[in-house]
Amino acid sequence: MSWIRDPFRSTLIIYSTLVVVAISMLLLTRETLNIWYLEETALPLVEEEAATLEEIWQDEGLPEVRRWIKDNENDVFQYQLQPVSDPLLIKALDAEFTTDTQSIELIPESDEALLDDETHLDDETNVFTVELYLPDLKTERWYFLAVTLNSDVFAGPLRLFNLLLLAIALVLLAGLLLSYLMLRKVRRHLNDINHTAQTISKHRDLSARIQQGNLSGPLADTLAQINDMIAELEQSVLKSRQQADNIAHDLRTPLTNVQQKLQQLDLEQPELCEIEQQLSRLLHTFNLLLRINRLETNGENPPLEAVNLNELLADIEDLYLPVFEDQDKHLMVLPLLAEDATGDQPYRVSANRDLLFQVLCNLMDNASKYNPPGATITVTLSSSGANTELIISDESGGVPPELLDNLCDRFFRADNSRQAAGNGLGLSFVKAAMQQMNGSLTLSNQTTPNGVVTGLKVNLLFTSDQSSYK
Amino acid sequence: MKALIVEDNSDQAQFIYQSFQAEGHQADIAEDGKEGLLCALQTSYDLIITDRMMPRMDGLQFIKALRASGNQTPVMIVSALDSVDERVKGLRSGGDDYLIKPFAFSELLARAEILCRRQPDSGPDEEPVLQLADLRLELLTRRALRDEQVIQLNNREFQILEYFLQNPGRVITRTMLLERVWNHHFDPQTNVIDVHISRLRKKIDLPGYTPLLHTVRGAGYMLEQRP
């Protein structure tokens, strides 16, 4: 029943159901409607004709009726006049007859089958017949008079009536088709909005715009407003990037000059070396901050290529294993074997080799910094469908759950004492770099089955979107 | 060593110039790519150090023009652009090395000396045996020996030692090692390389032997036989 939450599908489904019900009702009740139509139009005519003849019968008698019938025999009415010869019927009619009776039209309840004199409709020919039993007072005989409306007369109007029913059905169907086309058009524009939004969020390409075509009205206004909003965002992003560049240029240059002067003085006064190194670290922090900014605002847009994660992890293991061993910690890197996963070479992801290596080095530095001696740091790869996941889990004891979300904030450190070396930018950099490579970073606590937090779990998710290779 | 500094920022140019002078090297300064090209074509230099972004003719155009004229002087690009792809662009246009600003002069100097050394004949180091004092590295058999005693080295340690033995008496910085041995280009800002060096040192500078692998404070490491 998920379709009910989709206004497009639910409107169409409900509307088409209603149309189908309406049309089948029209088809099913067509016969009844036809009869109703004939009753409303043909019946009064026959009855009036019968009444006229009855009047002539009373006023002027049988010969005049015969003459009238002869004169009026035409395409519209057919007449039948004959004496009643059935003795049973005569007896029944006589019983009904009183001086006031001018004609017998009603059926005696006692003898329904016999005295079938009423207005009735022949189902097959759609013909109305009025049947009357009239007493001829002169000869004292009963006469049977039937007035029938020629079926052909109403064939035309009836066809017209059926045509009207058909027209209603067609209008309903046309309405359904029209609303389907309209919804499809609106939907196409919505899809275009979605597509543009995806382009923007995926490639952070704010130059993308929604196609407006020659649309007008509220939908066009909406599209125009969204486009304006994107344009404004683009402007402000460009502006902030410009500002970041300006800050970089304005502050970096004098700081660099001071650092260079200090380097020259170092040669004569080695005690300045410490200050020079501190300044270098400050400059490094400063550069890293600017770099994160650039990665986030698409200012640094390294080309993506197919990177073999197994090879890259082998490099990382090779580089960091001695670091962990020296600290009495264990590093376990488990490569992804092709037979353990679906797809051709699932360990190949779309990324930038250099940038990804820096990401992994940052995570390894963190692991070596925050894990106690004896801890095991495990790096695993897993793949499902188009996604490949690199998981680094450690035994650092994790972080308080409420702080997990803050870990990627610039300069945030889970240890308030800020004892450990570092600048608090590592995870911000990792996150920005992963996003730039169309991947993502997720941090969670590693827990035992009974809920004890043992360490931090870093998930790097890569989506192998071949089309994003640049 | 005689170097040409192509740099539009005069403070930066002066810093490099004075530092080179202090180290006993010669240097000329050109203020942009056009002037640099003229200098490089008139005078023979051991090394050209060029900025990346300059007015009139920027660093990349300068290198392309230089290479197009047949000049093969080693070029080091010095740039504030620290994106990973900027480095690739720089090297692709004909640069030999890429250094990100701000840099330590020791880093620049160490790289400059290695670049200059590469120049004569630009032949690869295909000598089958590298030797310094009683330390010997046999490239074909991939054996390392100190005083004829075989030293067990893993693959990376072997590569590190090979690099040092190819450049005896020269400073090798941490980032240079990461570039050469791991083929990754960035400054890790941690002690990750030092750990590898200290392991290697334990293996080659055995107790009782003259230490050969020295730490150069504030710069890097050097393999040298010191009296």
Side-chain angles (χ1 to χ4, degrees), chain A residues 153-429:
Chain A
V153 175
F154 273 86
L158 201 62
R159 202 179 301 131
L160 217 67
F161 179 72
N162 281 324
L163 221 64
L164 185 74
L165 293 183
L166 189 69
I168 292 171
L170 283 178
V171 165
L172 284 172
L173 280 175
L176 182 65
L177 186 72
L178 209 70
S179 53
Y180 169 70
L181 291 175
M182 223 172 71
L183 285 178
R184 210 176 65 162
K185 193 170 180 183
V186 173
R187 209 192 176 108
R188 215 178 50 227
H189 284 290
L190 282 177
N191 279 341
D192 201 26
I193 294 176
N194 287 344
H195 182 76
T196 310
Q198 273 170 5
T199 309
I200 290 172
S201 76
K202 194 170 177 185
H203 303 295
R204 261 150 296 141
D205 174 16
L206 279 169
S207 63
R209 293 288 181 278
I210 303 160
Q211 296 289 322
Q212 270 180 281
N214 50 3
L215 209 64
S216 69
L219 187 60
D221 293 345
T222 309
L223 298 186
Q225 278 191 353
I226 294 175
N227 276 341
D228 286 350
M229 207 169 72
I230 300 171
E232 274 175 36
L233 273 176
E234 192 185 16
Q235 277 304 313
S236 67
V237 165
L238 286 176
K239 215 162 135 187
S240 75
R241 204 178 299 164
Q242 187 61 47
Q243 276 171 348
D245 286 349
N246 290 345
I247 293 169
H249 197 260
D250 289 354
L251 285 181
R252 194 152 49 169
T253 309
L255 281 176
T256 306
N257 288 343
V258 172
Q259 191 221 15
Q260 289 172 350
K261 288 266 148 49
L262 276 172
Q263 283 190 46
Q264 285 174 333
L265 292 172
D266 275 357
L267 300 173
E268 295 143 27
Q269 291 165 283
E271 65 271 20
L272 288 177
C273 205
E274 183 61 27
I275 302 174
E276 193 267 313
Q277 278 174 3
Q278 279 185 16
L279 191 59
S280 288
R281 278 198 290 275
L282 178 69
L283 272 167
H284 177 80
T285 303
F286 192 67
N287 280 336
L288 187 57
L289 185 64
L290 286 172
R291 185 157 181 222
I292 294 167
N293 251 348
R294 282 205 316 276
L295 283 168
E296 283 176 348
T297 55
N298 225 15
E300 179 173 345
N301 200 346
L304 301 185
E305 63 221 345
V307 175
N308 186 327
L309 279 182
N310 281 350
E311 281 176 18
L312 204 64
L313 281 181
D315 277 358
I316 283 287
E317 185 179 16
D318 181 272
L319 186 62
Y320 276 91
L321 195 61
V323 175
F324 286 106
E325 279 176 359
D326 278 11
Q327 298 172 343
D328 195 21
K329 296 168 193 171
H330 312 283
L331 176 66
M332 260 177 40
V333 178
L334 306 170
L336 184 64
L337 303 174
E339 57 262 34
D340 290 346
T342 53
D344 186 31
Q345 300 189 317
Y347 42 80
R348 276 188 194 281
V349 294
S350 162
N352 181 283
R353 183 178 175 269
D354 286 330
L355 192 58
L356 186 53
F357 192 77
Q358 291 173 32
V359 161
L360 294 174
C361 285
N362 261 290
L363 295 172
M364 287 296 123
D365 290 336
N366 278 353
S368 87
K369 229 183 281 172
Y370 296 110
N371 276 277
T376 302
I377 291 94
T378 316
V379 185
T380 51
L381 279 177
S382 70
S383 151
S384 71
N387 294 335
T388 302
E389 211 172 2
L390 191 157
I391 301 166
I392 302 172
S393 45
D394 63 23
E395 291 173 357
S396 61
V399 293
E402 67 273 15
L403 297 183
L404 274 174
D405 288 341
N406 304 113
L407 284 181
C408 292
D409 293 350
R410 288 167 175 71
F411 300 111
F412 180 85
R413 324 247 319 241
D415 61 326
N416 282 325
S417 59
R418 293 179 175 256
Q419 286 297 311
N423 47 32
L425 289 175
L427 285 175
S428 311
F429 168 76

Side-chain angles (χ1 to χ4, degrees), chain B residues 30-50:
Chain B
E31 280 179 7
D32 60 46
K34 282 212 164 135
E35 200 187 319
L37 201 56
L38 285 175
C39 294
L41 296 178
Q42 282 166 4
T43 318
S44 169
Y45 292 99
D46 299 316
L47 174 72
I48 297 171
I49 297 165
T50 176

